[in-house]
């Protein structure tokens, strides 16, 4: 039997998300999440998606000291559904790896050398790569015979031209410390830009797309003929759009000011800008539903936070329209982009000269399907295109192991 299942693992510092997919028909067999790994009480939520128990969540609250214990428990849950990780049907384990630097522009089968390179990138991704490495090592220990495939968040952006990827700082210093713009969410930008082309009935090589990935983290990308030419996140995911808890763009001198005047340490500033800024910093809330509810009740702080969020978004749409020259589509995706019609409407309001508009009725439709929400007369298609990073990772991992068969 040819193995056709892929387990996708997304390991965070204290969490482990997983999905098991069958690549014959792209169906999902099970999915789940382990949270608070290493804390007093961790929680494993497992949902089988096949058979009698399909859709019935199983929640276990117990302590998992580390990712190893967490993955062991996930393996038991899968085995209880007849989907054990010892199954010969499993073709590979696909890992989301946040930072692949310049070296990894494509999915890669993990070897000791690849793992060492991912480890070498820890200084530029201190929050993410260590957890991803732990996830890979844990999975290797469980199924040493199976290919482990690393799929990098940065890979899609490695096509950015040098003038978009470099910061205008001293070249020697930049090169010595690998300081440049790498970009993130690449798996989503790749998936959504391709889907958008399909929605227009075109090949990706024929269209220019601006992708707006608006989740808790948020980033924009300019994709010309299927290749990324610019993206809003940089050396780290802090740059660019206003996010749930991250500031996005700001004058770097704000950091010196906080050091000198507010007496803050670099760790404190890091926490401030990554965890206590963005929408949370502006109005104490990062859930767009709650922000809209507060605006409807006349809350001025929530309204200003929304305006700042939209203003930044518009600046990037304008900038990427200029970078691309000609835009065929603007695609909204991720939690906010897929669900928040007021964000989509506000982001394109006033951009008619750039060819952008949304149709109020189309914009208000709720659906899991990719769809166009601009009126027929609009020069640029505005689309809502649900992202599916797990499916994309599974695809890339599956294609790679089949090629090397
Ligand atoms: P991430 O993967 O970055 O954690 P998601 O892409 O899941 O985030 O997006 C989460 C965000 O999506 C939430 O913080 C919330 O602001 C927003 N969101 C989710 N559902 C809705 C909705 N129905 N309306 C408006 N915003 C929503």
């Amino acid at each position: 039997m040819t193995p056709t299942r892929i387990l996708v693992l997304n390991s965070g510092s204290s969490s482990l998300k997983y999905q098991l997919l069958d690549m014959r028909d792209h169906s999902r067999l099970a999915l789940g999440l382990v949270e608070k790994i290493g804390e007093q009480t961790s929680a494993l939520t497992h949902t089988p998606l096949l058979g009698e128990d399909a859709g019935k969540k199983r929640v276990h609250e117990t302590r998992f000291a580390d990712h190893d214990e967490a993955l062991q428990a996930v393996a038991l849950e899968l085995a209880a559904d007849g989907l054990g990780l010892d199954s010969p049907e499993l073709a590979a384990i696909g890992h989301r790896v946040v930072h692949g630097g310049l070296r990894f522009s494509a999915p890669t089968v993990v070897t000791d050398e690849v793992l060492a390179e991912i480890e070498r990138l820890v200084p530029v991704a201190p929050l993410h790569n260590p957890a991803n490495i732990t996830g890979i090592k844990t999975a290797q220990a469980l199924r040493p015979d199976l290919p482990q495939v690393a799929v990098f968040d940065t890979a899609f952006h490695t096509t950015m031209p040098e003038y978009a990827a470099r910061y205008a700082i001293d070249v020697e210093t930049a090169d010595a410390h690998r300081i440049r713009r790498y970009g993130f969410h690449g798996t989503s930008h790749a998936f959504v830009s391709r889907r958008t082309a399909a929605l227009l009935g075109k090949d990706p090589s024929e269209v220019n797309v601006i992708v707006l990935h608006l989740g808790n983290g948020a980033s924009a990308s300019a994709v010309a003929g299927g290749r990324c030419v610019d993206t809003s996140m940089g050396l780290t995911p802090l740059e660019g759009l206003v996010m749930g808890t991250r500031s996005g763009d700001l004058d770097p001198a704000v950091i010196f000011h906080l050091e000198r005047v507010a007496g803050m340490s670099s760790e404190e500033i890091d926490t401030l800008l990554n965890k206590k800024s963005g929408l949370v910093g502006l109005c104490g809330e990062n859930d767009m539903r709650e922000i809209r509810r507060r605006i409807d009740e006349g809350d001025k702080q929530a309204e200003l936070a929304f305006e700042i969020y939209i203003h930044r978004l518009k600046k990037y749409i304008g900038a990427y329209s200029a970078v691309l020259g000609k835009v065929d589509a603007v695609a909204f995706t991720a939690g906010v982009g897929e669900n928040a019609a007021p964000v989509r409407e506000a982001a394109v309001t006033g951009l008619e000269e750039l060819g952008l508009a949304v149709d109020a009725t189309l914009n208000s439709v709720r659906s899991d399907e990719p769809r166009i929400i601009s009126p027929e007369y609009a020069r640029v298609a505005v689309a809502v295109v649900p992202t599916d990073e797990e499916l994309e990772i599974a695809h890339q991992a599956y294609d790679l192991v089949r090629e090397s068969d």
Side-chain angles (χ1 to χ4, degrees):
M1 169 198 319
T2 315
T4 53
R5 289 182 190 162
I6 303 283
L7 176 69
V8 176
L9 291 184
N10 182 352
S11 312
S13 56
S14 64
S15 68
L16 179 67
K17 287 188 209 156
Y18 61 94
Q19 286 194 12
L20 183 67
L21 295 97
D22 191 326
M23 299 314 288
R24 276 176 302 191
D25 55 1
H26 304 160
S27 60
R28 260 158 257 251
L29 309 176
L31 54 79
L33 164 70
V34 191
E35 294 167 288
K36 300 187 183 175
I37 298 171
E39 290 183 29
Q40 214 51 18
T41 316
S42 324
L44 164 59
T45 309
H46 175 84
T47 312
L49 299 171
L50 274 187
E52 277 175 21
D53 291 336
K56 283 188 200 152
K57 267 186 195 168
R58 301 200 291 267
V59 181
H60 302 278
E61 292 198 344
T62 177
R63 179 175 149 75
F64 300 120
D66 50 32
H67 283 72
D68 198 26
E69 288 188 9
L71 190 59
Q72 299 274 5
V74 169
L76 286 177
E77 288 301 317
L78 289 166
D81 296 330
L83 300 168
L85 296 186
D86 51 358
S87 162
E89 288 179 68
L90 197 59
I93 300 184
H95 297 267
R96 175 186 181 215
V97 178
V98 168
H99 217 308
L102 282 183
R103 157 86 189 273
F104 299 111
S105 56
T108 305
V109 173
V110 177
T111 59
D112 288 348
E113 196 258 324
V114 168
L115 209 49
E117 181 60 23
I118 299 172
E119 205 131 24
R120 235 165 57 80
L121 288 161
V122 167
V124 283
L127 296 178
H128 298 101
N129 274 28
N132 302 154
I133 293 166
T134 306
I136 294 173
K137 287 185 173 166
T138 304
Q140 274 178 332
L142 205 66
R143 279 295 302 268
D145 55 314
L146 211 62
Q148 310 285 332
V149 178
V151 178
F152 299 93
D153 250 25
T154 46
F156 184 60
H157 304 303
T158 54
T159 52
M160 273 196 290
E162 201 62 7
Y163 55 75
R166 276 209 180 258
Y167 292 109
I169 62 171
D170 172 66
V171 172
E172 257 178 53
T173 310
D175 288 350
H177 301 286
R178 291 193 276 184
I179 296 170
R180 60 188 284 121
R181 311 189 55 257
Y182 294 98
F184 299 90
H185 290 147
T187 308
S188 176
H189 287 284
F191 179 85
V192 171
S193 57
R194 265 205 332 269
R195 280 276 157 121
T196 306
L199 188 63
L200 301 181
K202 299 259 172 75
D203 189 78
S205 64
E206 298 172 310
V207 292
N208 289 349
V209 184
I210 297 174
V211 178
L212 303 170
H213 176 109
L214 310 177
N216 204 23
S219 63
S221 69
V223 183
R227 291 164 68 84
C228 176
V229 292
D230 206 350
T231 194
S232 60
M233 285 178 166
L235 173 74
T236 77
L238 184 54
E239 195 179 341
L241 300 173
V242 176
M243 311 183 206
T245 64
R246 296 189 193 115
S247 63
D249 294 336
L250 85 172
D251 180 346
V254 169
I255 295 161
F256 320 138
H257 189 81
L258 288 170
E259 268 172 358
R260 290 184 197 129
V261 180
M264 291 174 75
S265 67
S266 55
E267 281 75 21
E268 285 169 330
I269 299 171
D270 195 325
T271 304
L272 175 79
L273 298 180
N274 274 297
K275 303 251 168 75
K276 298 181 183 171
S277 296
L279 293 169
V280 153
L282 289 167
C283 72
E285 175 63 58
N286 62 346
D287 192 314
M288 194 52 82
R289 284 164 287 203
E290 185 58 18
I291 290 174
R292 290 303 309 174
R293 198 190 57 73
R294 280 173 51 186
I295 293 172
D296 288 343
E297 287 175 354
D299 183 326
K300 291 293 167 206
Q301 207 189 8
E303 190 176 342
L304 181 60
F306 186 79
E307 286 170 349
I308 295 170
Y309 183 92
I310 296 297
H311 181 65
R312 186 80 53 83
L313 205 49
K314 279 187 173 175
K315 288 213 271 191
Y316 271 92
I317 295 173
Y320 288 173
S321 297
V323 164
L324 290 170
K326 173 178 178 290
V327 181
D328 298 288
V330 172
F332 286 88
T333 194
V336 175
E338 291 168 29
N339 296 298
V343 168
R344 298 192 295 255
E345 188 194 333
V348 304
T349 297
L351 303 188
E352 293 80 9
E353 287 293 319
L354 295 178
L356 290 164
V358 297
D359 176 285
T361 310
L362 294 175
N363 191 30
S364 64
V365 172
R366 300 194 68 83
S367 159
D368 292 335
E369 293 300 313
R371 59 201 182 273
I372 290 176
I373 58 167
S374 44
E376 255 175 43
Y377 65 79
R379 215 166 0 100
V380 177
V382 179
V384 182
V385 180
T387 192
D388 194 338
E389 287 165 280
E390 287 76 18
L391 177 60
E392 179 69 16
I393 291 172
H395 251 305
Q396 294 195 13
Y398 187 56
D399 288 349
L400 186 65
V401 294
R402 268 201 315 183
E403 272 167 29
S404 45
D405 254 359

